[in-house]
Amino acid sequence: MTSEVIAVMGAGQLGLMLHEAALRMGYRCRFLDPAPDACAGRVAEHIVAPFDDEEALDRLIDGATVLTYENEHIPTEALERASARVSVAPSAQALRVAQDRLHQRELLDRLGIASAPHAPVSSVEDIAEALRMVGTPAIIKARRGGFDGRGQAMIHAAEDAPAAWEAIGQRPAMLEGVVSFRRELSIVGVRSQAGEMRFYPVVESVHERGILVRTRAPGPGLTTEIEHEAQRIARAVAEALGHVGVLAVELFETPRGLLVNEFATRVHNTGHWTIEGSPTSQFEHHLLAILSRPLGTTDLVAPSIMCNIIGAIPPSVIRLRDRPVEGVHVHLYGKEPRPGRKIGHVTCTAPTLQEAEALAGRVVPELAGAEGGIPTGGIPADAAE
Ligand code: AMP
């Protein structure tokens, strides 16, 4: 019996981990991605073509059970077109909102969910006007296409506006006030075709220069109120979108409560710990949801610290290959090392979060960081793509 095919737009590391989960569940993924060296292509069928290539899309969905995506930088028209022939989840409508920062904010505003003060900008003149509203310092973020701090620039004073506009490539953007947050949190949940939702515990995430470096699961010292508030936000967003699959909401914890930074209608870096830390990983859950199968369990079974490997593989990770350590799980994506690029992650699990942190500090000190849990956050000043 040949396994059923799940068609996936995008073949990066999220696709790779979706494929690994699919294999365990008796399925396999087939990918479409214009990058010939996209890492999921090393282990699965990979059609190398632009996302808007109609003939390639036909080949992608040929005989597939369902079509999904692993990043939001794909044309919604392709999903719409495919939906005439195959089940598509999450939907084109959900992606249309998720792939545009301004549309995300419009939805949050409509739902009465708090976020940083923001205003749309499409010219240098707009920035001056918007700065009067959101104040300084502020961050300009391209509406579409940015990730990991790219497509963003800091504005400390009105004089910075022309350089910032230049830095983001003069694209339609959103200006946003800088939030002075206590820390960053993230909630990852899954919504089934029938509308049932389950949530993993809220995690604490630490970013440096706009890139996620570490996730602590569960987030230390979180109250039930915060868990419930995060769930309420994620549920409201998922329901408004009619979302099916995994959804991640990134949050700022502030003295005035939670503010949403952004959300993603796909599997997410802040959910990687679930591969080892929960009975059903986010990747398995995404597949279960889009395949209309019953959801699994989102309990935390092993407190985890997930550290991203960014730019280059450190010596400690290379040593782990020859000398594995119990509770330390290395995931290398097979990507070419490049500054600022996520090329793998390491998850350390232990009976308590403190022990998991101590383990990470001992085994992968370059990745574990020295800070005591209160991140400084911040945006790279020169982070344009
Ligand atoms: P983003 O690309 O919007 O996810 O931003 C990446 C990271 O930059 C966030 O996780 C924060 O660490 C930081 N950041 C983004 N927006 C803001 C903001 N309005 N205020 C403070 N820090 C921010």
Side-chain angles (χ1 to χ4, degrees):
M1 191 188 88
T2 54
S3 51
E4 280 183 51
V5 171
I6 293 155
V8 185
M9 306 275 276
Q13 65 264 24
L14 300 176
L16 176 72
M17 289 181 272
L18 270 176
H19 180 64
E20 288 167 354
L23 289 180
R24 282 195 297 277
M25 295 163 64
Y27 299 89
R28 67 191 165 91
C29 294
R30 179 193 295 148
F31 295 94
L32 173 63
D33 194 303
D37 60 347
C39 64
R42 294 185 317 128
V43 295
E45 195 183 339
H46 173 196
I47 299 164
V48 181
F51 290 128
D52 59 2
D53 181 324
E54 295 190 356
E55 187 270 326
L57 182 66
D58 285 343
R59 276 194 287 144
L60 176 71
I61 60 176
D62 191 30
T65 308
V66 62
L67 172 68
T68 192
Y69 55 85
E70 59 96 76
N71 72 66
E72 48 276 313
H73 310 303
I74 58 168
T76 52
E77 296 74 19
L79 296 186
E80 256 157 21
R81 189 168 170 277
S83 66
R85 286 187 50 201
V86 69
S87 156
V88 175
S91 68
Q93 298 92 294
L95 179 60
R96 198 167 294 119
V97 177
Q99 70 182 186
D100 185 317
R101 288 181 190 278
L102 185 64
H103 291 165
Q104 287 205 14
R105 293 307 167 98
E106 285 166 355
L107 176 69
L108 295 170
D109 292 347
R110 188 157 63 73
L111 295 171
I113 295 171
S115 62
H118 52 274
V121 289
S122 342
S123 66
V124 186
E125 294 73 38
D126 283 357
I127 299 176
E129 176 74 25
L131 277 174
R132 277 193 282 281
M133 208 184 101
V134 309
T136 50
I139 303 169
I140 187 164
K141 300 180 176 180
R143 280 173 57 176
R144 296 177 61 152
F147 65 96
D148 287 347
R150 283 177 267 184
Q152 305 188 5
M154 274 294 281
I155 299 183
H156 296 281
E159 305 83 83
D160 299 342
W165 181 239
E166 196 68 36
I168 66 155
Q170 306 187 342
R171 290 182 284 168
M174 193 179 65
L175 190 81
E176 180 176 309
V178 168
V179 175
S180 120
F181 51 80
R182 281 195 195 126
R183 57 178 173 171
E184 293 185 75
L185 303 173
S186 170
I187 183 161
V188 175
V190 58
R191 186 166 184 269
S192 73
Q193 303 268 3
E196 183 194 356
M197 279 204 85
R198 302 216 172 142
F199 299 99
Y200 294 101
V202 171
V203 300
E204 180 185 295
S205 51
V206 179
H207 292 76
E208 286 171 9
R209 295 177 63 79
I211 305 181
L212 180 75
V213 290
R214 269 180 303 286
T215 301
R216 292 183 179 89
L222 286 174
T223 60
T224 323
E225 287 73 31
I226 292 181
E227 288 279 349
H228 287 168
E229 177 62 1
Q231 289 183 10
R232 187 191 67 79
I233 291 170
R235 186 184 298 279
V237 170
E239 286 177 356
L241 293 174
H243 179 64
V244 173
V246 163
L247 171 97
V249 185
E250 295 192 84
L251 302 155
F252 297 132
E253 187 185 34
T254 79
R256 295 185 295 115
L258 296 179
L259 303 183
V260 172
N261 177 30
E262 62 180 350
F263 58 82
T265 50
R266 56 166 169 78
V267 287
H268 195 260
N269 198 170
T270 58
H272 287 3
W273 67 273
T274 61
I275 297 173
E276 288 87 14
S278 185
T280 314
S281 76
Q282 64 162 346
F283 301 99
E284 290 159 342
H285 255 139
H286 187 72
L287 298 173
L288 289 172
I290 65 173
L291 288 162
S292 302
R293 291 184 45 194
L295 299 181
T297 312
T298 46
D299 296 346
L300 179 139
V301 290
S304 308
I305 171 155
M306 190 284 314
C307 307
N308 274 337
I309 303 172
I310 299 165
I313 302 175
S316 65
V317 173
I318 294 167
R319 278 197 297 277
L320 278 167
R321 187 167 52 188
D322 305 323
R323 204 181 274 264
V325 174
E326 198 185 333
V328 182
H329 313 273
V330 179
H331 299 254
L332 295 177
Y333 309 145
K335 288 164 73 174
E336 208 48 54
R338 205 183 292 156
R341 194 177 204 204
K342 292 175 184 167
I343 56 174
H345 74 268
V346 177
T347 301
C348 295
T349 56
T352 66
L353 188 63
Q354 286 77 6
E355 288 166 280
E357 295 220 51
L359 180 61
R362 208 165 53 243
V363 179
V364 282
E366 309 94 327
L367 306 178
E371 89 295 316
I374 306 295
T376 51
I379 284 280
D382 54 347
E385 275 171 307

